[in-house]
Amino acid sequence: MRSVEEIYSELESYRKSVQGSFSEISELDMSCKTILKNYLNSTSTTNPAVNIKIQAVIDYMYERVNIGNWKEVKLFLRKTITIASYLKLIYLVKLAKFIDNNFIKESYKIIDFGILFGCPLDNEPQLLQNCASCFNTLSQESSDNDNAILNIQESIIVESSKYNTQPLDILDCPSMEHFYRDYILKDRPAILNNCINHWPALNKWKHISYFNKVAGSRTVPIELGRVYTDSDWTQKLMTVGEFINKHIYQSHGATGYLAQYQLFEHIPELRGDISEPEYCCFSDNDEAVDIMAWFGPKGTVSALHHDPKRNLLTQVVGEKHIFLFSPNDSEFLYPHDHELLNNTAQVDPREPDLEKYPKYTNATAYYCVLHPGQMLYIPPKWWHFVESLSISISVSFWWN
């Protein structure tokens, strides 16, 4: 096991890079800037007042980034959170006499807050992720379910005729040319088989013990509620271990869902268990592919909606069933009028209320059950409704 001194030495190695990032927060008011600079330039202080002042900067920045639309938050505020979180972590480790679970959990708590509410520094973009790697071999998060295997039930087969829907094309590891010509260019959805058989995730992610070891102590945002269109839907920060214990194996209380989250940027160790499908190379620009994780119990629902980007929805553990509709059927699906929900429809394709939504009978629904190892290509603007039929883990690859 690594010593406190070794961890401190590695964390200290990033200090010069952080000092070089101060130009990125030039808009910060002088009082906050002075607090951060004073501690950045001092390697030995253990004065409790320093920690109080750093926490005050974090609290002030947190208050400011939570005013208004998140997309409009100025980056220097979030970068200040990143720098202040790094300094708070340095202070914690400097004072530590020994390593125990409380020390590890508090360290991750500081790091994860910085990742969630801060943003990468140009000078050291992986600063907090690198800091987290210092503690990875120390993490001993455990659970009563550690020996459980997630996909504990037989594969689920649901006939498309049950819902009066059309089946999708199923392709066996199609060539790049075939997929591009007949599906990308024509905006046709399809299921792809035998494209991710090499992923370590297909075996590793079945085991709760693996998730607890790699990510159990890490804090992530969890959606709470049946579906995001409900009035009581909300989000809460909790560790992956807490999420597994409270929501994956519990049927009472609110449904918990780790949904549409950039988990692999937050915890790069999990990124090594997957690889970006080669089909994502068909892009209109040089933007990186957005990789999102979806992890939840049986019954999690994503209401009928559409996205602006192409999507390869990849199933790793468990099963989901999915309804798809062409953009040409939009008027038959009754999109919400509210600006924030205008990409979401009111119809539930599982049990459509035809008295309330009579035009739905004119829509053509496509349907599939997605099994582990399969990918579903969803073209841009295609409507899709997704429900997990078991405990489920999926990965989305979104690109233009």
Side-chain angles (χ1 to χ4, degrees):
M1 180 180 285
R2 305 181 72 186
S3 67
V4 173
E5 291 75 17
E6 288 173 326
I7 294 173
Y8 182 78
S9 176
E10 187 165 346
L11 295 178
E12 274 289 340
S13 69
Y14 300 112
R15 187 183 288 265
K16 285 187 178 180
S17 294
V18 176
Q19 288 172 329
S21 299
F22 244 73
S23 60
E24 301 175 39
I25 58 170
S26 58
E27 297 174 69
L28 186 65
D29 60 77
M30 188 55 66
S31 59
C32 291
K33 198 180 296 184
T34 300
I35 291 170
L36 299 181
K37 270 191 173 180
N38 285 344
Y39 191 53
L40 260 177
N41 295 331
S42 171
T43 59
S44 59
T45 183
T46 56
N47 185 344
V50 170
N51 190 47
I52 293 172
K53 290 179 180 179
I54 293 173
Q55 186 61 51
V57 172
I58 292 173
D59 292 342
Y60 179 43
M61 293 301 109
Y62 178 71
E63 189 176 301
R64 291 189 63 181
V65 301
N66 280 286
I67 297 173
N69 191 321
W70 177 253
K71 293 180 180 179
E72 296 174 359
V73 172
K74 293 184 177 180
L75 287 184
F76 83 88
L77 298 173
R78 295 179 61 193
K79 290 183 177 184
T80 300
I81 290 178
T82 299
I83 292 173
S85 297
Y86 166 74
L87 294 178
K88 184 175 173 64
L89 179 66
I90 284 276
Y91 183 86
L92 173 73
V93 177
K94 181 74 173 177
L95 288 183
K97 303 297 183 184
F98 54 87
I99 294 172
D100 62 9
N101 280 340
N102 288 334
F103 167 74
I104 296 168
K105 288 179 179 179
E106 185 61 26
S107 300
Y108 278 138
K109 184 178 178 180
I110 294 168
I111 291 167
D112 291 334
F113 182 91
I115 292 174
L116 287 163
F117 298 103
C119 68
L121 305 175
D122 296 343
N123 209 36
E124 190 71 56
Q126 292 292 306
L127 173 67
L128 295 177
Q129 286 84 352
N130 291 337
C131 289
S133 69
C134 300
F135 300 87
N136 286 347
T137 57
L138 309 177
S139 183
Q140 300 295 324
E141 189 74 16
S142 62
S143 161
D144 292 340
N145 301 304
D146 256 5
N147 295 321
I149 296 179
L150 288 176
N151 58 344
I152 55 177
Q153 54 192 58
E154 296 295 324
S155 291
I156 297 166
I157 300 174
V158 181
E159 296 295 334
S160 60
S161 58
K162 175 183 176 181
Y163 295 107
N164 191 28
T165 57
Q166 301 297 314
L168 292 169
D169 291 351
I170 300 177
L171 313 176
D172 188 14
C173 197
S175 69
M176 300 285 281
E177 179 186 3
H178 174 38
F179 185 67
Y180 181 68
R181 181 188 64 236
D182 295 332
Y183 295 90
I184 293 283
L185 289 181
K186 295 180 181 179
D187 281 341
R188 290 172 58 194
I191 296 170
L192 284 70
N193 283 342
N194 297 313
C195 297
I196 62 164
N197 295 345
H198 59 290
W199 279 19
L202 289 171
N203 180 55
K204 286 184 176 181
W205 292 6
K206 296 176 185 177
H207 302 278
I208 288 293
S209 58
Y210 177 74
F211 266 96
N212 274 316
K213 179 180 178 182
V214 175
S217 297
R218 307 302 301 276
T219 300
V220 293
I222 300 298
E223 295 183 359
L224 297 176
R226 189 183 64 88
V227 63
Y228 66 80
T229 52
D230 287 353
S231 60
D232 60 350
W233 180 91
T234 188
Q235 287 185 305
K236 183 179 179 180
L237 296 179
M238 65 180 72
T239 66
V240 172
E242 289 172 331
F243 165 64
I244 289 171
N245 290 332
K246 291 180 180 179
H247 297 285
I248 293 299
Y249 288 103
Q250 300 295 331
S251 58
H252 58 277
T255 299
Y257 197 12
L258 175 60
Q260 193 177 319
Y261 183 60
Q262 292 178 315
L263 186 65
F264 310 102
E265 290 187 12
H266 191 142
I267 307 174
E269 290 76 15
L270 290 171
R271 180 67 175 83
D273 296 336
I274 64 173
S275 58
E276 185 178 299
E278 59 186 1
Y279 305 108
C280 297
C281 75
F282 297 122
S283 176
D284 296 332
N285 53 49
D286 294 328
E287 288 181 13
V289 174
D290 294 327
I291 307 176
M292 302 291 182
W294 310 77
F295 180 17
K298 178 180 179 179
T300 54
V301 168
S302 294
L304 186 61
H305 69 285
H306 65 75
D307 300 306
K309 295 185 176 184
R310 305 183 187 280
N311 181 7
L312 274 174
L313 176 61
T314 306
Q315 194 64 17
V316 181
V317 173
E319 282 87 13
K320 287 180 171 175
H321 69 163
I322 299 141
F323 296 80
L324 296 102
F325 300 84
S326 164
N328 298 329
D329 284 344
S330 294
E331 67 171 299
F332 309 138
L333 305 177
Y334 297 84
H336 284 273
D337 294 327
H338 194 285
E339 181 182 355
L340 295 177
L341 289 174
N342 60 14
N343 74 326
T344 303
Q346 300 177 63
V347 174
D348 183 339
R350 297 170 301 180
E351 296 180 331
D353 185 340
L354 298 181
E355 288 189 9
K356 193 173 182 180
Y357 308 115
K359 291 182 182 179
Y360 179 75
T361 57
N362 297 317
T364 300
Y366 295 85
Y367 177 84
C368 71
V369 174
L370 205 61
H371 302 284
Q374 291 186 315
M375 297 193 296
L376 172 63
Y377 173 59
I378 305 174
K381 298 292 185 179
W382 269 69
W383 296 88
H384 49 288
F385 174 99
V386 185
E387 180 184 20
S388 59
L389 300 175
S390 65
I391 293 171
S392 171
I393 307 176
S394 314
V395 180
S396 284
F397 297 88
W398 285 336
W399 78 100
N400 284 312

